[in-house]
Amino acid sequence: MSALLSMITALILLIGATEVSAQSETQAWEALREGKAVLILRHALAPGTDDPAHFELGDCSTQRNLNDRGRQQASAWKPYLERRGIAEARVYTSQWCRSQDTATGMNIGDVAEWPALNSFFQNRGKRSTQTIETIELVNRLEPGPPVIMVSHQVNITALSGVFPASNEGVILALPLTKAPDVLARVAPD
């Protein structure tokens, strides 16, 4: 009987945790819609690691790029965001082609480049400078539609402590700080 009671108690706790998580995610989306949070996501699937040795910014033929699955992932953001009440957003992206293609593939708003969102995978010395610059850029934005940033794993991990999968986003509370509150981890289904 005690084993059965333990299983029932564990099930009740699990159900309760799921409800709290769903409620927290609902609150995170509300904060994003109200301008009290931002969404930063890792570019969609671009197979491989790092970029080729002959990488050139602005020349996509020298970079790791989205594959067909990555392009599908990017376009999945629009209906996903619309179901959560976001039909338009201000979109900022790194200058890497895979991030730009993710941002434009989302088709949720005009896209602007922010070099602070560029990957520092090959130059870890830029980590602190770029993270601080991203925080400052976000905190200086005027009120308006929700803010979505498309960047890279290293940038998101440096900012939030989260190691996102390809095409995964993190909703962060505003104002951004060096240790922002992570409200939710999100990705289209």
Side-chain angles (χ1 to χ4, degrees):
M1 181 70 174
S2 125
L4 179 60
L5 185 57
S6 294
M7 285 182 10
I8 292 170
T9 302
L11 183 59
I12 290 169
L13 290 173
L14 179 62
I15 291 169
T18 302
E19 288 175 10
V20 169
S21 176
Q23 181 181 11
S24 295
E25 187 171 322
T26 299
Q27 291 170 342
W29 286 109
E30 182 178 326
L32 183 61
R33 285 190 305 272
E34 293 177 354
K36 297 176 183 174
V38 294
L39 170 61
I40 185 168
L41 61 110
R42 183 177 177 185
H43 59 77
L45 187 61
T49 305
D50 200 14
D51 283 295
H54 61 283
F55 168 87
E56 288 182 38
L57 201 58
D59 183 353
C60 295
S61 70
T62 67
Q63 301 179 31
R64 236 176 3 107
N65 294 292
L66 301 184
N67 63 6
D68 289 340
R69 177 71 182 125
R71 286 185 287 282
Q72 291 169 352
Q73 288 177 332
S75 66
W77 277 99
K78 183 176 179 95
Y80 179 72
L81 291 164
E82 287 177 339
R83 286 193 304 272
R84 284 145 185 87
I86 299 171
E88 136 183 46
R90 293 176 282 173
V91 183
Y92 301 95
T93 182
S94 114
Q95 295 173 303
W96 268 238
C97 294
R98 57 186 172 268
S99 291
Q100 292 180 346
D101 291 345
T102 300
T104 57
M106 294 171 74
N107 193 29
I108 197 76
D110 292 336
V111 176
E113 293 179 2
W114 269 5
L117 296 172
N118 288 353
S119 175
F120 48 76
F121 185 82
Q122 289 186 351
N123 190 350
R124 304 291 171 125
K126 292 184 175 184
R127 172 189 169 144
S128 180
T129 302
Q130 284 184 231
T131 301
I132 290 168
E133 186 177 351
T134 299
I135 292 167
E136 290 173 353
L137 285 167
V138 168
N139 289 340
R140 284 195 304 251
L141 287 171
E142 296 293 324
V147 172
I148 298 174
M149 297 175 287
V150 182
S151 192
H152 306 266
Q153 174 271 309
V154 291
N155 300 67
I156 297 166
T157 302
L159 177 62
S160 68
V162 173
F163 191 106
S166 291
N167 209 48
E168 182 181 16
V170 182
I171 300 176
L172 303 173
L174 290 175
L176 281 188
T177 64
K178 289 183 181 180
D181 288 335
V182 175
L183 302 179
R185 294 177 71 160
V186 298
D189 305 326

